Amino acid sequence: MDATHLSNGPVSLPLRSLSPPLPGLFLKNRSLRPFRRKSLCLASSSETLVGGSLRRGEVVGSKKGEELGDLKSWMHQNGLPPCKVVLKERASHNERHQPIHYVAASEDLQVGDVAFSVPNSLVVTLERVLGNETIAELLTTNKLSELACLALYLMYEKKQGKKSFWYPYIRELDRQRGRGQLAVESPLLWAESELDYLTGSPTKAEVLERAEGIRREYNELDTVWFMAGSLFQQYPYDIPTEAFPYEIFKQAFVAIQSCVVHLQKVSLSRRFALVPLGPPLLAYKSNCKAMLTAVDGAVELVVDRAYKAGEPIAVWCGPQPNSRLLLNYGFVDEDNPYDRLGVEASLNTEDPQYQDKRMVAQRNGKLSRQVFYVYARKEREAVLDMLPYMRLGYVSDPSDMQSVISSQGPICPVSPCTERAVLDQLVEYFESRIAGYPTTLSEDESLLADSSSNPKKQVATQLVQLEKKILNSCLQTAVDLINQLPDHTVSPCPAPYAPHLK
């Protein structure tokens, strides 16, 4: 899995590996006809699969909701012990979509209180999907992810409609449509024109790359089906790519990525779990420390702060930058201590001294192609960390290079003109990245102040505004360092083999 996801919170896609979303996440589709073959999983009509969803304006626990059985009632009927939470709702930005549900405290809570404890019988894991079958071979084929397996399982379950044990949970996932608590879908489900809101941001390329990865996952679904004996036996005639169009799978995949959690200290087959009452019904906060935890026979949530009755309950979303939060869950956290941008520097391979410089870089814990992460509010530290690497790239005299090789630490002999050249390159780089955004910071502020603007454009603007603030701080740091040079009349040294910045 993604190395940035070290918590038991939601995970980034392990892809070994855009059109507007259709109605629902495990979507009804007129082209998806019921199978007429003898099968243990008879496809229900598209209306049946989502027909139990609550209508806009209905509150959980209303007569209609009780008739159908809301998620929490279903959980209590199937082993959920008394808990201290309730499901509430808030309006969606899109009037065509149902309100967002969220988990709130049903009474005043104190730090250390157990908000709920979901028994394992109500938790979906690969252990449940694949039965007693060993999953080691399946997961080491390097062709699929745990998320693809979970998505495939729930798509098959949805085909059973109300006959499925998981019907109330699947209906809730349909209702949420992969939307986070801001009611905005992941950019993976945005239209191509809506992705233009991310112009200038590296996140736009990440979205397209992730979408390609999901396509590769889809192309391997039949392999998953054949290798997973339990799925093959239960649905012997429903070959995945024949039963589910790509758009259906992609939206199911996005729904799963928005709610899967990474449990710690459990077996491989249980580490990725779908927990009813967990995400996306729980709000995410980067500075929250509450986590869903595997205990004997259950998954429980212990709150890390006091809550008043009715307040939404939050969990930690893991150490993820805002680009990942938007990609996975459709929101941006302005107070995110893990927010960062990457600056890729690489030694010039045409440099006659490239191999020596590569050796020195490795000796100091750096690579010939090195990514420097710039964290929000720590921009000066990041720029100072880049300087020794950049100076190494500017060394041209062989005798100077020998001095560097024989020295200890990342110190390079730096002339005033070399230091000016290094700083000038950084200034040009940061200016170029800032110029890649079509809007200014002041224009971003105006758009964010307009509550009537498109919600997707709002959240995209939040992201690019925070990115530009990081880049502007880096630029200011480089300019300040130039101003601190003792002699401003010195011209930058020529650098035929200067490092590349990307």
Side-chain angles (χ1 to χ4, degrees), residues 55-241:
R55 292 190 180 92
R56 179 175 177 81
E58 284 186 340
V59 297
V60 179
S62 68
K63 183 176 179 180
K64 181 68 174 178
E66 289 171 352
E67 176 185 337
L68 295 171
D70 63 67
L71 177 67
K72 190 164 176 283
S73 297
W74 166 74
M75 294 178 69
H76 282 304
Q77 293 166 9
N78 288 279
L80 177 70
C83 56
K84 300 177 180 179
V85 300
V86 64
L87 285 181
K88 302 187 75 172
E89 67 180 35
R90 64 168 58 94
S92 171
H93 294 298
N94 191 328
E95 292 185 356
R96 294 186 296 107
H97 298 165
Q98 297 181 84
I100 288 288
H101 279 168
Y102 65 95
V103 170
S106 60
E107 59 187 76
D108 290 352
L109 298 178
Q110 302 302 319
V111 175
D113 283 352
V114 177
F116 59 75
S117 182
V118 179
N120 286 343
S121 59
L122 292 174
V123 177
V124 185
T125 63
L126 286 186
E127 183 178 61
R128 177 181 294 275
V129 172
L130 303 179
N132 295 323
E133 177 179 340
T134 176
I135 64 170
E137 180 181 359
L138 189 65
L139 296 181
T140 54
T141 58
N142 207 36
K143 292 182 179 179
L144 65 120
S145 68
E146 290 90 339
L147 274 71
C149 222
L150 292 171
L152 179 58
Y153 174 71
L154 287 189
M155 285 193 297
Y156 276 129
E157 284 295 311
K158 178 168 178 174
K159 287 189 68 181
Q160 298 188 63
K162 294 181 181 180
K163 295 179 182 179
S164 170
F165 172 76
W166 299 105
Y167 172 74
Y169 181 45
I170 292 172
R171 188 181 64 197
E172 187 64 38
L173 293 179
D174 271 346
R175 179 192 185 96
Q176 298 299 108
R177 300 176 56 84
R179 296 172 293 174
Q181 292 304 309
L182 293 180
V184 175
E185 298 95 339
S186 162
L188 288 165
L189 300 178
W190 292 8
E192 186 175 349
S193 60
E194 291 170 331
L195 288 179
D196 288 341
Y197 301 151
L198 297 170
T199 297
S201 171
T203 305
K204 185 175 182 178
E206 291 178 27
V207 171
L208 298 176
E209 182 181 358
R210 179 78 63 86
E212 291 176 4
I214 294 175
R215 171 70 76 172
R216 290 193 295 271
E217 297 265 10
Y218 177 76
N219 293 336
E220 294 294 337
L221 282 185
D222 293 351
T223 300
V224 179
W225 179 73
F226 280 115
M227 293 182 68
S230 55
L231 284 177
F232 180 79
Q233 292 166 14
Q234 190 172 1
Y235 313 107
Y237 302 108
D238 295 349
I239 298 174
T241 55

